[in-house]
């Protein structure tokens, strides 16, 4: 009888794991309460970020921290209740963001990022979705020469250490690539390696459809319990029970809470985010994904319209939406590009699953044979899903993965 695995979570990470396991000849059931790609993976900026070799650290300089306190910034906002609930992991996040610890974390994190394109590529081909993917990179735009020069120096270090390719664009070179920008924008970094996706949710759904076409099974149902009996796992849903040899926990921001039922306490927290789609004032056209780096939002020419995505909001996972951050981002965006009316009835809200050391957990659970963990990807679940699937499938087969997996082990917590 063939080995059977249940993957819990049908976002980019879970779908990619299911796809990779199915490619290895393992029978896989993919479970989620919603259709594949309809939760966190649905609402992101749609960039496969080969350049993102450095995770986002907690700000440690006094000037930045003081600027956050009035709670009016576009890139980061907070709610007192959410901050208090996540006080311990946030303090640990601050601790891991010290220069010494951050220098240790970056090469470990970069080892994952460097796998992103080569692991997305076969899935894009198998799913037949080249039309969704653009390979022209994206633009990180700047308002002040000093900030642009600082970022260009950092980009040079990233190129030397991690083979990240880029170009520095002055005002005229930027306007040649992307007309219709406001006068405040004086230049950009053009990240050349990264790919962009015109419909992130559709890409995940297409990966899932490829998995099903090759014999995989998708179950849309509420998971009620996950229990181990001797050598097997039983996953009980609102529609029945599935028995498997292995269970993979890939439920994104819900993973930490689910794992408490099995006796694990991971210091998970979330960074929430919002998006809205807009029409464009003719004849302007957004050609590239644009990140307004000094303000903290992103504009993306999606199939559904121009998507504006916000920075991070520190709050409880299920707290009501607060659209002030989105409104502030919209006001800033309208000053640099001619957006027209909103196209969505309400803002989309999602949550990035985070861990204090900025690295995901990928690998076996310490105390349960056949339980595998894949969560905590922060801002880069969309980028890192296929790499995670590739690496975890190797681990589940007993093979030596392509990179050192020790930095991502669950035991570090």
């Amino acid at each position: 009888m063939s080995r059977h695995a249940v993957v819990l979570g049908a976002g980019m990470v879970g779908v990619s794991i299911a796809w990779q396991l199915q490619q290895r000849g393992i029978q896989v059931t993919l479970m989620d309460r919603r259709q594949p790609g309809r939760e966190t993976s649905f609402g992101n900026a749609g960039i496969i970020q080969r350049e993102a070799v450095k995770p986002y650290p907690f700000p440690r300089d006094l000037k930045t921290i003081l600027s956050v306190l009035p709670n009016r910034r576009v890139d980061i906002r907070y709610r007192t209740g959410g901050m208090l609930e996540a006080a311990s992991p946030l303090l640990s996040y601050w601790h891991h963001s010290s220069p010494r610890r951050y220098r240790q974390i970056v090469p470990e994190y970069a080892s994952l990022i460097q796998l992103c394109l080569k692991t997305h590529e076969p899935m894009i081909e198998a799913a037949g979705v080249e039309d969704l993917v653009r390979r022209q990179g994206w633009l990180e735009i700047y308002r002040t020469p000093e900030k642009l020069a600082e970022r260009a120096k950092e980009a040079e270090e990233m190129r030397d250490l991690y083979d990240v390719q880029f170009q520095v664009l002055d005002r005229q070179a930027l306007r040649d690539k992307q007309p219709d920008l406001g006068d405040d924008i004086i230049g950009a970094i053009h990240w050349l390696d990264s790919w962009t996706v015109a419909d992130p949710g559709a890409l995940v759904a297409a990966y899932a459809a490829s998995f099903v076409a090759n014999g995989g099974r998708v179950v849309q149902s509420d998971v009620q319990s996950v229990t181990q009996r001797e050598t097997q796992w039983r996953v009980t849903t609102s529609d029945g029970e599935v028995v498997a040899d292995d269970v993979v926990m890939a439920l994104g921001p819900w993973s930490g809470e689910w794992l408490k039922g099995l006796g694990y306490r991971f210091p998970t927290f979330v960074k929430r985010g919002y998006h809205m789609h807009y029409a464009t004032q003719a004849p302007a056209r957004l050609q590239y994904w644009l990140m307004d780096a000094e303000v903290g939002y992103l504009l993306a020419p999606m199939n559904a319209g121009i998507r504006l995505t916000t920075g991070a909001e520190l709050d409880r996972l299920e707290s009501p939406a607060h659209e002030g951050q989105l409104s502030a981002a919209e006001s800033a965006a309208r000053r640099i590009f001619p957006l027209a009316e909103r196209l969505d009835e309400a803002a989309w809200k999602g949550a990035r699953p985070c861990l204090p050391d900025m690295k995901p957990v990928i690998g076996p659970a310490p105390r349960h044979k056949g339980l595998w963990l894949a969560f905590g990807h922060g801002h880069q679940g969309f980028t890192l899903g296929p790499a995670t699937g590739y690496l975890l499938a190797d681990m589940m087969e007993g093979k030596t993965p392509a990179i050192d997996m020790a930095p991502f082990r669950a035991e570090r917590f």
Side-chain angles (χ1 to χ4, degrees):
M1 186 171 65
S2 65
R3 184 177 177 184
H4 181 204
V6 171
V7 178
L8 301 177
M12 178 61 88
V13 174
V15 167
S16 298
I17 293 167
W19 192 93
Q20 283 286 350
L21 292 175
Q22 196 275 332
Q23 293 288 308
R24 317 288 179 100
I26 296 174
Q27 180 187 353
V28 185
T29 300
L30 177 65
M31 286 189 179
D32 202 311
R33 65 183 181 180
R34 301 191 69 183
Q35 295 176 357
R38 301 304 296 181
E39 289 280 8
T40 307
S41 296
F42 176 81
N44 61 68
I47 309 178
I48 301 171
Q49 287 191 254
R50 173 59 180 84
E51 91 295 337
V53 293
K54 293 185 174 184
Y56 291 97
F58 196 101
R60 290 179 63 93
D61 64 287
L62 185 60
K63 181 179 179 181
T64 300
I65 291 173
L66 290 175
S67 73
V68 171
L69 290 179
N71 214 16
R72 292 193 295 267
R73 289 178 59 133
V74 170
D75 57 343
I76 183 167
R77 294 208 178 180
Y78 62 90
R79 299 286 157 179
T80 303
M83 293 282 284
L84 291 174
E85 185 174 284
S88 179
L90 287 174
L91 180 61
S92 181
Y93 181 20
W94 179 86
H95 177 66
H96 283 292
S97 299
S98 70
R100 180 179 65 84
R101 290 182 176 272
Y102 188 69
R103 281 194 299 270
Q104 296 171 346
I105 289 167
V106 168
E108 298 168 345
Y109 188 82
S111 69
L112 281 180
I113 291 290
Q114 289 175 296
L115 296 175
C116 68
L117 300 183
K118 67 178 68 175
T119 51
H120 268 280
E121 181 69 70
M123 297 182 69
I124 291 168
E125 183 178 351
V129 285
E130 285 285 352
D131 60 313
L132 287 178
V133 182
R134 304 177 191 177
R135 304 178 191 229
Q136 63 182 9
W138 63 281
L139 301 175
E140 188 174 302
I141 59 177
Y142 282 84
R143 297 161 179 263
T144 58
E146 296 79 12
K147 290 292 185 181
L148 177 58
E150 181 182 332
R151 184 59 163 160
K153 182 179 179 179
E154 185 177 19
E156 290 174 1
E157 296 173 355
M158 292 157 63
R159 179 189 59 203
D160 295 343
L161 290 171
Y162 305 113
D163 196 30
V164 172
Q165 300 302 307
F166 70 97
Q167 290 180 343
V168 179
L169 307 178
D170 61 18
R171 185 195 301 266
Q172 187 55 54
L174 174 58
R175 299 298 166 85
D176 290 344
K177 287 185 179 292
Q178 178 58 69
D180 306 307
L181 288 178
D183 293 336
D184 287 349
I185 306 304
I186 56 88
I189 304 289
H190 184 186
W191 300 109
L192 300 170
D193 298 322
S194 299
W195 300 345
T196 53
V197 180
D199 188 335
L203 184 69
V204 178
Y207 286 175
S210 171
F211 158 73
V212 171
N214 283 285
R217 179 187 177 211
V218 175
V219 173
Q220 185 180 345
S221 187
D222 283 315
V223 177
Q224 296 176 339
S225 66
V226 179
T227 56
Q228 187 179 37
R229 297 183 187 175
E230 297 180 352
T231 61
Q232 290 190 312
W233 287 89
R234 297 178 184 274
V235 181
T236 304
T237 76
S238 53
D239 297 309
E241 185 178 77
V242 177
V243 179
D245 303 291
D246 301 275
V247 168
V248 181
M249 179 62 67
L251 283 169
W254 296 275
S255 296
E257 195 63 32
W258 264 104
L259 285 165
K260 288 180 182 178
L262 293 169
Y264 296 96
R265 295 290 187 273
F266 288 96
T268 56
F269 66 100
V270 297
K271 295 180 183 178
R272 305 198 323 176
Y274 301 85
H275 84 222
M276 172 62 66
H277 292 103
Y278 299 82
T280 304
Q281 297 179 36
R285 183 179 172 215
L286 190 61
Q287 317 248 35
Y288 286 85
W289 272 240
L290 301 178
M291 180 183 175
D292 192 343
E294 294 176 70
V295 178
Y297 65 89
L298 189 140
L299 293 175
M302 299 280 185
N303 289 346
I306 304 300
R307 177 177 292 186
L308 184 155
T309 66
T310 66
E313 179 189 52
L314 298 173
D315 198 1
R316 298 183 180 94
L317 175 60
E318 303 294 355
S319 291
H322 306 281
E323 293 196 20
Q325 188 178 23
L326 176 67
S327 297
E330 179 183 323
S331 295
R334 289 188 182 280
R335 290 193 289 271
I336 68 156
F337 187 80
L339 297 175
E341 72 276 9
R342 289 186 171 194
L343 299 177
D344 304 327
E345 290 186 6
W348 177 89
K349 172 177 72 71
R352 308 170 183 98
C354 300
L355 288 164
D357 64 357
M358 294 160 273
K359 299 174 296 184
V361 169
I362 305 172
R367 299 188 302 276
H368 291 81
K369 181 177 174 57
L371 177 62
W372 303 86
L373 310 178
F375 64 93
H377 291 76
H379 292 258
Q380 299 299 345
F382 188 74
T383 294
L384 292 175
T388 299
Y390 179 73
L391 295 165
L392 189 67
D394 274 350
M395 297 176 80
M396 291 176 68
E397 284 194 305
K399 297 179 179 178
T400 301
I403 64 172
D404 180 12
M405 298 304 293
F408 312 103
R409 67 187 187 278
E411 290 88 344
R412 72 188 194 266
F413 296 114

